[in-house]
Amino acid sequence: MIIAHLSDLHLDGGARAEDRVAAVLGYLAGLAKPVDAVVVTGDIADHGEPGEYARAAALLEYPAPVLVCPGNHDVRAAFRTGLLGSPPSDGPIDHAQEVGGVLFALCDSTIPGRGAGFLADETLAWLDGVLAGGDGPAFVAFHHPPVEVGVPLVDAIRQTGAERLAAVLARHPRVKALLAGHVHTGASTTFAGLPLRIAPGVVSGSLLPAEPGGDHGWAEGGPLEYDRPPALLLHVLHDDGRVTSHHRTVSRRTPAA
């Protein structure tokens, strides 16, 4: 199985963000065969407006399942109606789908109105129940990484309460990897003994403090790099349960639809 992993589209009604999303989907459309699933780990809209989700739904059309979870820029009610076809609600957006015998559990790590992340008790109870429903391979996805990654301004708004998530994961050895976004850079680490793969930002990249501009505060535009081409991860789930992740950058020559 091959899984395309995107994050942080930040569609805002402007051509720049749309063109970058279209370039990534154009890259996927040009593969010899479609990937098995596309996972988008949040910040799909920049302002959480219904029109931003309408454009996201159009741009993310693909011949394989496209699985989405919200980020801190997303608004739950508009996200639900615009991307999931569900009635508006302000509760956590937790949902799961099985693709080719592999379970994808998509968790809402957002705290409405805040940049930081936290998995609500009801989300963790839901995740525990979903993972208990079988023994096939599973991926757990959310927006906020539950560990520091070396980008201080983003680390300050990471997912807290991580020991609660670790306790759930310890009960379910079927989980092969965790998928996240939020950082705007491709990164690989571990959490609770599992691979944690963080997708690069489609809209922009982020910098480590040692890189030029990496020490900028939010008032200075943050440690973000806007000239970097859009990128994604391709995860390969092997028959023995290993997950290998490949980083791909994408030309921006494909126009938005």
Side-chain angles (χ1 to χ4, degrees), residues 10 15 19 33 51 56 84 93 105 114 132 138 140 156 158 163 174-175 228 232 236 246 256:
H10 287 270
D19 287 350
K33 65 176 183 177
L84 302 179
I93 302 171
R114 294 180 56 186
V140 176
R158 70 186 183 279
E163 69 285 348
R174 66 183 298 194
V175 177
R228 186 182 300 180
L232 73 157
V236 180
H246 302 264

Side-chain angles (χ1 to χ4, degrees), residues 34-205:
V35 298
D36 297 286
V38 178
V39 176
V40 190
T41 48
D43 278 0
I44 293 169
D46 197 46
H47 308 103
E49 297 291 337
E52 295 170 345
Y53 294 115
R55 287 303 296 148
L59 289 163
L60 291 172
E61 287 189 2
Y62 190 71
V66 177
L67 313 174
V68 295
C69 63
N72 52 287
H73 279 254
D74 292 306
V75 173
R76 287 173 172 175
F79 186 105
R80 273 194 167 90
T81 57
L83 294 179
L84 302 179
S86 301
S89 167
D90 294 327
I93 302 171
D94 304 316
H95 60 117
Q97 184 170 336
E98 191 169 291
V99 180
V102 177
L103 178 72
F104 292 85
L106 298 115
C107 303
D108 188 339
S109 64
T110 68
I111 306 170
R114 294 180 56 186
F118 184 82
L119 294 177
D121 289 343
E122 64 184 282
T123 294
L124 288 173
W126 169 85
L127 178 62
D128 202 13
V130 165
L131 292 175
D135 56 7
F139 289 86
V140 176
F142 36 69
H143 183 63
H144 299 79
V147 291
E148 294 184 352
V149 296
V151 181
L153 287 180
V154 178
D155 288 340
I157 52 173
R158 70 186 183 279
Q159 182 188 144
T160 57
E163 69 285 348
R164 299 156 54 253
L165 172 61
V168 171
L169 295 172
R171 292 194 285 273
H172 301 287
R174 66 183 298 194
V175 177
K176 302 306 178 186
L178 311 173
L179 309 180
H182 192 48
V183 186
H184 287 234
T185 190
S188 180
T189 184
T190 58
F191 173 76
L194 292 167
L196 170 59
R197 304 292 191 245
I198 301 168
V202 172
V203 74
S204 64

